[in-house]
Protein backbone atom coordinates (compact mmCIF):
# COMPACT_ATOMS: atom_id res chain seq x y z
CA UNK A 1 0.00 0.00 0.00
CA UNK A 2 2.96 2.31 0.57
CA UNK A 3 3.87 1.99 -3.09
CA UNK A 4 0.35 2.99 -4.16
CA UNK A 5 0.52 6.11 -1.97
CA UNK A 6 3.96 7.03 -3.27
CA UNK A 7 2.75 6.48 -6.84
CA UNK A 8 -0.16 8.82 -6.25
CA UNK A 9 1.95 11.46 -4.54
CA UNK A 10 4.74 11.46 -7.11
CA UNK A 11 2.20 11.50 -9.98
CA UNK A 12 -0.15 14.09 -8.50
CA UNK A 13 1.67 17.19 -9.83
CA UNK A 14 1.36 15.90 -13.39
CA UNK A 15 -2.33 14.89 -13.29
CA UNK A 16 -3.58 18.17 -14.78
CA UNK A 17 -0.97 18.02 -17.56
CA UNK A 18 -1.96 14.43 -18.38
CA UNK A 19 -5.65 15.37 -18.48
CA UNK A 20 -4.92 18.29 -20.82
CA UNK A 21 -2.87 16.01 -23.08
CA UNK A 22 -5.66 13.45 -23.22
CA UNK A 23 -8.19 16.17 -24.05
CA UNK A 24 -6.03 17.33 -26.94
CA UNK A 25 -5.55 13.75 -28.12
CA UNK A 26 -9.30 13.06 -28.11
CA UNK A 27 -9.94 16.31 -29.98
CA UNK A 28 -7.22 15.51 -32.53
CA UNK A 29 -8.64 12.03 -33.12
CA UNK A 30 -12.11 13.48 -33.61
CA UNK A 31 -10.91 16.18 -36.01
CA UNK A 32 -8.80 13.80 -38.10
CA UNK A 33 -11.34 10.99 -38.09
CA UNK A 34 -12.47 11.79 -41.64
CA UNK A 35 -9.04 10.91 -43.01
CA UNK A 36 -8.62 7.80 -40.88
CA UNK A 37 -9.20 4.50 -42.65
CA UNK A 38 -10.62 2.78 -39.54
CA UNK A 39 -14.33 2.22 -39.12
CA UNK A 40 -16.28 5.00 -37.45
CA UNK A 41 -17.34 2.80 -34.55
CA UNK A 42 -13.72 1.85 -33.82
CA UNK A 43 -12.68 5.51 -33.90
CA UNK A 44 -15.49 6.43 -31.52
CA UNK A 45 -14.50 3.62 -29.15
CA UNK A 46 -10.92 4.91 -29.11
CA UNK A 47 -12.10 8.42 -28.24
CA UNK A 48 -14.35 7.01 -25.51
CA UNK A 49 -11.36 5.12 -24.03
CA UNK A 50 -9.30 8.31 -24.02
CA UNK A 51 -12.12 10.19 -22.27
CA UNK A 52 -12.47 7.35 -19.76
CA UNK A 53 -8.76 7.59 -18.88
CA UNK A 54 -9.09 11.35 -18.56
CA UNK A 55 -12.04 10.94 -16.17
CA UNK A 56 -10.21 8.38 -14.03
CA UNK A 57 -7.12 10.58 -13.73
CA UNK A 58 -9.36 13.49 -12.74
CA UNK A 59 -10.93 11.19 -10.15
CA UNK A 60 -7.48 10.32 -8.81
CA UNK A 61 -6.67 14.01 -8.61
CA UNK A 62 -9.76 14.50 -6.42
CA UNK A 63 -8.84 11.51 -4.25
CA UNK A 64 -5.35 12.88 -3.58
CA UNK A 65 -6.80 16.34 -2.88
CA UNK A 66 -9.24 14.87 -0.34
CA UNK A 67 -6.41 12.99 1.37
CA UNK A 68 -4.20 16.08 1.48
CA UNK A 69 -7.06 18.19 2.85
CA UNK A 70 -7.19 15.89 5.89
CA UNK A 71 -3.66 16.98 6.83
CA UNK A 72 -2.69 20.00 8.87
CA UNK A 73 -1.04 22.90 7.06
CA UNK A 74 2.36 21.85 8.40
CA UNK A 75 1.88 18.21 7.36
CA UNK A 76 0.70 19.21 3.91
CA UNK A 77 3.75 21.44 3.46
CA UNK A 78 6.02 18.53 4.39
CA UNK A 79 4.36 16.27 1.82
CA UNK A 80 4.44 19.00 -0.82
CA UNK A 81 8.12 19.57 -0.18
CA UNK A 82 9.08 15.92 -0.37
CA UNK A 83 6.86 14.72 -3.22
CA UNK A 84 6.03 17.86 -5.18
CA UNK A 85 9.26 19.81 -4.57
CA UNK A 86 7.46 22.89 -3.31
CA UNK A 87 9.06 25.29 -0.83
CA UNK A 88 10.61 24.02 2.38
CA UNK A 89 8.32 24.56 5.40
CA UNK A 90 9.43 27.30 7.76
CA UNK A 91 11.28 26.13 10.83
CA UNK A 92 12.42 22.81 9.42
CA UNK A 93 15.95 21.86 8.61
CA UNK A 94 15.65 19.17 5.94
CA UNK A 95 18.63 17.35 7.41
CA UNK A 96 17.33 17.27 10.99
CA UNK A 97 15.97 14.17 12.66
CA UNK A 98 12.77 15.99 13.56
CA UNK A 99 12.07 16.61 9.87
CA UNK A 100 12.40 12.92 9.02
CA UNK A 101 10.25 11.90 12.01
CA UNK A 102 7.56 14.36 10.90
CA UNK A 103 7.76 13.05 7.31
CA UNK A 104 7.36 9.46 8.50
CA UNK A 105 4.49 10.37 10.83
CA UNK A 106 2.67 12.28 8.07
CA UNK A 107 3.19 9.48 5.54
CA UNK A 108 1.76 6.95 8.02
CA UNK A 109 -1.22 9.23 8.58
CA UNK A 110 -1.89 9.30 4.82
CA UNK A 111 -1.54 5.50 4.68
CA UNK A 112 -4.13 5.16 7.44
CA UNK A 113 -6.50 7.53 5.60
CA UNK A 114 -6.10 5.47 2.42
CA UNK A 115 -6.67 2.22 4.28
CA UNK A 116 -9.86 3.58 5.87
CA UNK A 117 -11.21 4.47 2.41
CA UNK A 118 -10.26 1.14 0.82
CA UNK A 119 -7.54 2.53 -1.45
CA UNK A 120 -5.18 -0.42 -1.56
CA UNK A 121 -2.98 -2.09 -4.16
CA UNK A 122 -5.81 -4.23 -5.51
CA UNK A 123 -8.04 -1.15 -5.95
CA UNK A 124 -5.23 0.66 -7.74
CA UNK A 125 -4.45 -2.23 -10.07
CA UNK A 126 -8.12 -2.85 -10.89
CA UNK A 127 -8.90 0.79 -11.66
CA UNK A 128 -5.72 2.46 -12.88
CA UNK A 129 -3.17 -0.11 -14.02
CA UNK A 130 -4.17 0.26 -17.66
CA UNK A 131 -2.92 3.88 -17.57
CA UNK A 132 0.70 3.64 -18.68
CA UNK A 133 2.05 6.58 -16.67
CA UNK A 134 0.66 5.25 -13.40
CA UNK A 135 1.54 1.61 -14.08
CA UNK A 136 5.12 2.58 -15.03
CA UNK A 137 5.59 4.76 -11.93
CA UNK A 138 4.16 2.01 -9.70
CA UNK A 139 6.48 -0.63 -11.19
CA UNK A 140 9.54 1.59 -10.81
CA UNK A 141 8.72 2.34 -7.20
CA UNK A 142 8.09 -1.34 -6.53
CA UNK A 143 11.47 -2.25 -8.08
CA UNK A 144 13.23 0.35 -5.93
CA UNK A 145 11.41 -0.96 -2.86
CA UNK A 146 12.31 -4.58 -3.64
CA UNK A 147 15.98 -3.65 -3.94
CA UNK A 148 15.65 -2.21 -0.43
CA UNK A 149 16.93 1.11 -1.66
CA UNK A 150 15.96 4.17 0.27
CA UNK A 151 15.04 7.04 -1.99
CA UNK A 152 14.17 10.58 -1.07
CA UNK A 153 14.55 11.94 -4.54
CA UNK A 154 12.03 12.40 -7.31
CA UNK A 155 14.91 11.84 -9.71
CA UNK A 156 15.12 8.18 -8.66
CA UNK A 157 11.47 7.68 -9.55
CA UNK A 158 11.80 9.24 -13.01
CA UNK A 159 14.70 7.04 -14.10
Amino acid sequence: MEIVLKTLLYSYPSFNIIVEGLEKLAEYKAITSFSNCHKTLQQMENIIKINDRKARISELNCIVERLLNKLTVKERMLIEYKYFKYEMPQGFDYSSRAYFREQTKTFKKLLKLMENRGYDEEWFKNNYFDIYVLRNKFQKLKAVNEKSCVTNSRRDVWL
Side-chain angles (χ1 to χ4, degrees):
M1 187 135 102
E2 288 183 18
I3 297 170
V4 172
L5 178 57
K6 287 181 180 182
T7 301
L8 295 179
L9 291 174
Y10 281 123
S11 302
Y12 173 73
S14 62
F15 285 160
N16 290 331
I17 295 167
I18 294 168
V19 167
E20 288 174 16
L22 289 171
E23 284 174 355
K24 289 179 183 177
L25 178 62
E27 182 180 341
Y28 173 78
K29 287 200 175 276
I31 290 170
T32 61
S33 63
F34 70 92
S35 63
N36 194 324
C37 62
H38 293 95
K39 292 183 179 179
T40 303
L41 184 59
Q42 184 181 4
Q43 292 180 53
M44 290 173 56
E45 287 173 351
N46 288 338
I47 293 171
I48 290 170
K49 286 179 186 177
I50 292 169
N51 284 329
D52 175 61
R53 286 188 179 116
K54 182 182 82 167
R56 288 185 291 138
I57 290 175
S58 294
E59 177 187 2
L60 262 186
N61 191 46
C62 291
I63 289 170
V64 174
E65 273 297 318
R66 282 194 301 266
L67 290 173
L68 293 175
N69 287 336
K70 297 290 184 185
L71 300 176
T72 66
V73 172
K74 180 180 172 183
E75 291 170 335
R76 185 172 176 135
M77 288 172 56
L78 288 169
I79 292 297
E80 288 173 348
Y81 174 72
K82 181 172 181 175
Y83 294 98
F84 314 153
K85 293 303 176 201
Y86 290 172
E87 287 186 31
M88 174 61 137
Q90 292 293 327
F92 269 95
D93 175 14
Y94 68 90
S95 63
S96 72
R97 294 173 84 187
Y99 165 78
F100 290 104
R101 281 195 299 273
E102 287 291 325
Q103 277 287 0
T104 302
K105 179 180 158 190
T106 303
F107 188 79
K108 287 180 181 179
K109 182 177 180 179
L110 282 174
L111 278 175
K112 187 71 172 168
L113 288 168
M114 281 185 62
E115 181 181 307
N116 290 341
R117 288 166 174 74
Y119 303 141
D120 58 6
E121 191 170 324
E122 182 180 339
W123 162 83
F124 182 75
K125 286 183 175 181
N126 288 338
N127 294 299
Y128 303 102
F129 226 57
D130 65 318
I131 301 172
Y132 174 77
V133 174
L134 298 173
R135 182 180 65 243
N136 190 37
K137 180 96 35 139
F138 178 86
Q139 290 170 338
K140 285 182 180 182
L141 285 166
K142 191 165 188 143
V144 167
N145 191 48
E146 287 172 357
K147 290 181 183 177
S148 299
C149 295
V150 176
T151 178
N152 279 334
S153 172
R154 284 178 75 186
R155 182 184 60 80
D156 294 341
V157 177
W158 301 113
L159 297 177

